[in-house]
Amino acid sequence: MRRLNRKKTLNLMKELDAFPKVPESYVETSASGGTVSLIAFTTIAFLTIMEFMVYRDTWMKYEYEVDKDFTSKLRINIDITVAMRCQYVGADVLDLAETMVASADGLIYEPVPFELTPQQKELQRMLQLIQSRLQEEHSLQDVIFKSAFKSATTALPPREDDSLQSPDACRIHGHLYVNKVAGNFHITVGKAIPHPRGHAHLAALVSHESYNFSHRIDHLSFGELIPGIINPLDGTEKIASDHNQMFQYFITVVPTKLHTYKISAETHQFSVTERERVINHAAGSHGVSGIFMKYDISSLMVTVTEEHMPFWQFLVRLCGIIGGIFSTTGILHGFGRFVAEIIFCRFRLGSYRSTSVPLPDGHTNNHLPLITDNSTH
């Protein structure tokens, strides 16, 4: 009884077989079929390798939402070198709430030579090259995000000791915490002092001939400091053509949450436009000589997430490649054989075309000759 049930089950499974087997005696092979099969297998192998490379790769997904965090502080990371002595310049931040952030809270004034060493010049040249490529190919930003904490640091290497070169510039570096509102970070002549209506700089004791706001921005970023991330102003160098010159940077800061397989951090991206002009009150160009970075905080927040293709999606795409190529090549091969048979069939019929045979009475016989038993011998 058990054997009978097993036999019925086996017969039922045979009836459900969607892949019936054809006896080898019924299978006909051809050279054209072998050629098409070779092409199909080669194409499948190539596309499978390409699909596996796509499966291994990742991409960045961007999502946008309103930034509801307005109570936290914004960190500004600064590393700027100005071609003036440290006792002549002062740096501070003044926001729209008329809140002044003193530079002594987090900035360090370090006397250094303005001229870079050969090793530092090489890194600056590399940063400027990357910045020019980023302006042309925005997709490179995804590569920078994915390589954060993995690539080499963007900070300048330490200066080699050179006792013959005296410090003629001031390196202002460190970080500040400001309110998340629009503000103005500036470096100008004289140290900043608080004032009931804002603040002022002690610039009266510095002669105009000492003004030189040629500067180099080695690093400027907002938010958490992430090694390997290149910001728009990193590597920027400006040379002043006049003593009374103003350099302005208008910055729009966008809060950014970065989630990759390497890191998870909250930072800020920013875009910048630049302007520079010579201060000449007689010609109507008013203002204060110095370096001014006016920043504004965007109300939108960007979430950047690194994503990977799921394994099941890779299998579906792989099955589609294999099945699609087999079906397509089978159809093309069948259509090619059909066309070839039509052409050869017409060629064969042409060899049996009727011929004109002259008769004794002057008529012609256009009929095909009859095939008799005697003609076959």
Side-chain angles (χ1 to χ4, degrees):
M1 185 67 179
R2 184 179 300 177
R3 183 178 300 177
L4 183 61
N5 293 334
R6 186 178 301 175
K7 188 175 181 179
K8 289 182 178 180
T9 304
L10 184 60
N11 292 332
L12 179 61
M13 297 301 296
K14 287 182 178 181
E15 292 178 0
L16 296 177
D17 187 7
F19 308 97
K21 308 300 184 295
V22 180
E24 294 184 0
S25 58
Y26 296 161
V27 177
E28 180 182 358
T29 59
S30 62
S32 61
T35 304
V36 173
S37 299
L38 183 60
I39 295 174
F41 289 140
T42 304
T43 307
I44 289 174
F46 175 74
L47 293 181
T48 300
I49 295 174
M50 298 297 295
E51 189 66 24
F52 181 72
M53 293 176 64
V54 173
Y55 169 72
R56 289 186 55 190
D57 195 13
T58 59
W59 61 88
M60 309 305 294
K61 179 182 178 182
Y62 292 82
E63 296 178 336
Y64 302 90
E65 59 181 315
V66 178
D67 184 16
K68 301 178 181 179
D69 182 14
F70 53 87
T71 58
S72 62
K73 295 288 186 177
L74 175 64
R75 171 170 169 160
I76 306 179
N77 308 294
I78 302 164
D79 190 351
I80 302 175
T81 302
V82 186
M84 292 179 66
R85 297 187 180 275
C86 291
Q87 60 266 29
Y88 295 156
V89 295
D92 61 290
V93 178
L94 186 66
D95 60 24
L96 288 182
E98 298 297 331
T99 301
M100 176 181 172
V101 180
S103 61
D105 291 342
L107 295 182
I108 301 173
Y109 293 77
E110 179 184 352
V112 295
F114 188 76
E115 186 70 19
L116 295 176
T117 64
Q119 186 180 6
Q120 291 175 332
K121 286 182 179 179
E122 182 64 23
L123 179 61
Q124 186 190 30
R125 188 191 66 82
M126 182 190 68
L127 285 176
Q128 292 175 351
L129 179 61
I130 294 175
Q131 295 288 8
S132 62
R133 292 294 300 275
L134 283 173
Q135 294 178 1
E136 298 174 358
E137 303 178 18
H138 299 285
S139 60
L140 290 179
Q141 187 64 47
D142 294 350
V143 180
I144 294 177
F145 280 150
K146 289 191 287 187
S147 62
F149 278 142
K150 188 173 63 174
S151 59
T153 177
T154 57
L156 286 176
R159 177 178 291 273
E160 303 170 359
D161 293 335
D162 189 358
S163 58
L164 299 178
Q165 192 173 7
S166 60
D168 57 350
C170 183
R171 179 191 175 198
I172 304 174
H173 61 98
H175 61 273
L176 297 171
Y177 287 95
V178 299
N179 298 321
K180 289 189 69 173
V181 295
N184 181 9
F185 169 76
H186 51 272
I187 302 174
T188 187
V189 179
K191 301 298 180 182
I193 57 175
H195 190 272
R197 296 183 179 180
H199 75 292
H201 288 263
L202 295 175
L205 303 178
V206 183
S207 63
H208 287 277
E209 287 74 16
S210 301
Y211 289 12
N212 185 5
F213 284 101
S214 300
H215 61 280
R216 183 177 59 253
I217 304 176
D218 297 323
H219 181 77
L220 179 69
S221 64
F222 297 84
E224 184 179 346
L225 187 60
I226 303 178
I229 297 296
I230 299 177
N231 297 278
L233 287 176
D234 292 353
T236 301
E237 184 176 277
K238 299 290 184 180
I239 304 299
S241 59
D242 192 272
H243 293 291
N244 296 326
Q245 191 156 350
M246 173 189 288
F247 296 92
Q248 293 176 302
Y249 299 92
F250 301 93
I251 300 173
T252 301
V253 183
V254 181
T256 304
K257 290 183 178 180
L258 183 61
H259 301 287
T260 68
Y261 290 105
K262 300 292 182 181
I263 63 170
S264 180
E266 293 187 6
T267 182
H268 291 72
Q269 300 180 85
F270 66 91
S271 60
V272 59
T273 55
E274 307 173 11
R275 183 189 179 192
E276 57 182 84
R277 59 187 175 93
V278 176
I279 302 300
N280 189 347
H281 298 285
S285 178
H286 304 289
V288 179
S289 303
I291 305 167
F292 296 86
M293 298 183 178
K294 299 181 179 181
Y295 60 88
D296 192 7
I297 312 297
S298 174
S299 59
L300 291 179
M301 181 176 62
V302 181
T303 302
V304 185
T305 307
E306 185 178 6
E307 292 192 345
H308 188 275
M309 181 187 297
F311 183 71
W312 64 265
Q313 188 175 354
F314 168 71
L315 291 180
V316 171
R317 291 165 64 99
L318 192 62
C319 293
I321 289 174
I322 297 175
I325 291 178
F326 266 115
S327 301
T328 304
T329 53
I331 293 173
L332 293 177
H333 181 240
F335 180 75
R337 289 189 61 180
F338 175 73
V339 174
E341 288 178 358
I342 292 177
I343 295 175
F344 288 140
C345 183
R346 289 185 177 180
F347 178 76
R348 290 173 182 174
L349 289 176
S351 61
Y352 291 102
R353 236 174 237 175
S354 60
T355 57
S356 300
V357 180
L359 296 177
D361 56 357
H363 293 80
T364 58
N365 182 11
N366 295 325
H367 298 283
L368 291 175
L370 294 176
I371 299 177
T372 62
D373 295 338
N374 294 332
S375 62
T376 59
H377 296 289

